[in-house]
Amino acid sequence: RLRPSVLDPAGEATKAAANRLGVEGITSLRIGKIVEFNIEASDEKLAKEQVELLSDRLFANPVIEDWEMEIISSAEKTKTT
């Protein structure tokens, strides 16, 4: 997602459109993106290191965007789907 200091024209346009639809009370609205992928690694530490590398260098622009990760193990994924 964009850092708070970066203008978000898409978020502002969506907020204005919501207001025109009669939805009141939205004090802020920002548009972000999600990158979802599966990765196999020998352990969680290695998986985190690889995701951090990809996020900093490929998925996000660290100058204007913040990112976070959520790791779901294959056992957890089996339980939730």
Side-chain angles (χ1 to χ4, degrees), residues 19-69:
N19 193 300
R20 287 191 299 275
L21 290 172
V23 177
E24 298 178 14
I26 298 176
T27 58
S28 68
L29 191 152
R30 301 199 40 100
I31 304 292
K33 66 181 176 182
I34 183 171
V35 176
E36 183 177 332
F37 63 98
N38 297 317
I39 188 169
E40 292 183 7
S42 57
D43 59 41
E44 188 172 318
K45 181 179 182 238
L46 178 60
K48 284 182 179 181
E49 289 172 358
Q50 292 178 340
V51 170
E52 289 172 358
L53 177 66
L54 290 169
S55 296
D56 280 339
R57 303 238 181 118
L58 185 61
F59 298 150
N61 178 344
V63 174
I64 62 169
E65 296 174 313
D66 291 324
W67 62 269
E68 63 186 62
M69 79 170 97

Side-chain angles (χ1 to χ4, degrees), residues 1-2 4-6 11-13 17-20 22 30 32 35 43 48 54 59 62 65 67 70 72-74 80-81:
R1 67 188 159 278
L2 292 172
S5 61
V6 176
E12 289 300 316
N19 193 300
R20 287 191 299 275
R30 301 199 40 100
V35 176
D43 59 41
K48 284 182 179 181
L54 290 169
F59 298 150
E65 296 174 313
W67 62 269
E70 178 181 2
I72 301 172
S73 70
S74 57
T80 61
T81 56

